[in-house]
Amino acid sequence: MTVPYKRLNKDDAVVLLVDHQTGLISLVQDFTPNEFKNNVLALADCAKFFKLPTILTTSFETGPNGPLVPELKAMFPDAPYIARPGQINAWDNEDFVKAIKATGRKQIIIAGVVTDVCVAFPTLCALEEGFDVFVVTDASGTFNDVVQKAAWARMTAAGAQLMNWFSVACELQGDWRNDMEGLANLLSQRIPNYRNLMNSYSAFTAK
């Protein structure tokens, strides 16, 4: 079945950061720790750069899952923060769903830990309720590549779109002329090779 191209729209998108908790992150084995942290923070940078409503949630943070990683809490001090007392599927928490629907937005950009549970479960529920869901693959992590691919297959079969944080940034930007310097700076902070590209460009244009 051919699925029509649905383009991200910064005026209709909300970002959900689900269960990026200090304990759960230790389970992530499909990315290196440094790579994964960089990807998550890069997605958070995109949310701030494009001024997207962002909702944070954790699961049973008083237990072994641990609290939200401090960097995310610091980046979004005023964002809705839903500390779920026990629900594994964030969509089962009424406050979480209310916060999403209160934005009035129909495109969900989601990332979390672990991919096959904390991302997949609310993704499937949101799709069932008519939202367009964009799963940020490299800001979501799980036990291994086999589990990762199975989770991706389950979500795409239900209609989710898989993206990485870089493609999210570029699709939201749409046109370099919107703010080339701002986006280039964001990319340079998170992608070393892109920083090399910009340094080379700056040296060339300075001549």
Side-chain angles (χ1 to χ4, degrees), residues 46-167:
C46 292
K48 290 184 73 69
F49 180 73
F50 293 105
K51 299 180 173 60
L52 303 180
T54 301
I55 297 168
L56 311 172
T57 186
T58 57
S59 170
F60 197 47
E61 62 179 43
T62 55
N65 292 350
L68 185 73
V69 295
E71 291 91 343
L72 291 179
K73 186 174 280 189
M75 288 180 73
F76 301 100
D78 302 319
Y81 179 87
I82 315 299
R84 308 191 313 281
Q87 299 97 341
I88 293 174
N89 182 348
W91 208 266
D92 290 339
N93 183 280
E94 186 177 343
D95 292 333
F96 180 69
V97 177
K98 279 183 177 178
I100 296 167
K101 293 183 176 179
T103 68
R105 301 191 171 208
K106 295 298 289 181
Q107 294 186 338
I108 288 175
I109 300 170
I110 186 171
V113 181
V114 290
T115 310
D116 42 310
V117 175
C118 308
V119 177
F121 293 175
T123 290
L124 297 170
C125 291
L127 288 165
E128 196 172 36
E129 291 201 25
F131 289 88
D132 293 325
V133 183
F134 302 79
V135 176
V136 187
T137 56
D138 54 354
S140 304
T142 189
F143 303 101
N144 54 55
D145 291 344
V146 173
V147 176
Q148 176 199 78
K149 289 177 174 59
W152 290 355
R154 186 183 189 193
M155 290 185 282
T156 54
Q161 295 192 56
L162 302 185
M163 302 182 73
N164 63 334
W165 73 261
F166 180 81
S167 63

Side-chain angles (χ1 to χ4, degrees), residues 5-19:
Y5 175 32
K6 294 179 180 177
R7 187 179 302 211
L8 276 173
N9 177 357
K10 65 182 180 182
D11 297 318
D12 197 30
V14 55
V15 175
L16 310 182
L17 299 176
V18 183
D19 301 353

Side-chain angles (χ1 to χ4, degrees), residues 13 44 87 96 160 173 181 194 197 204:
Q87 299 97 341
F96 180 69
Q173 177 79 355
E181 192 171 312
Y194 202 91
L197 180 153
F204 176 77

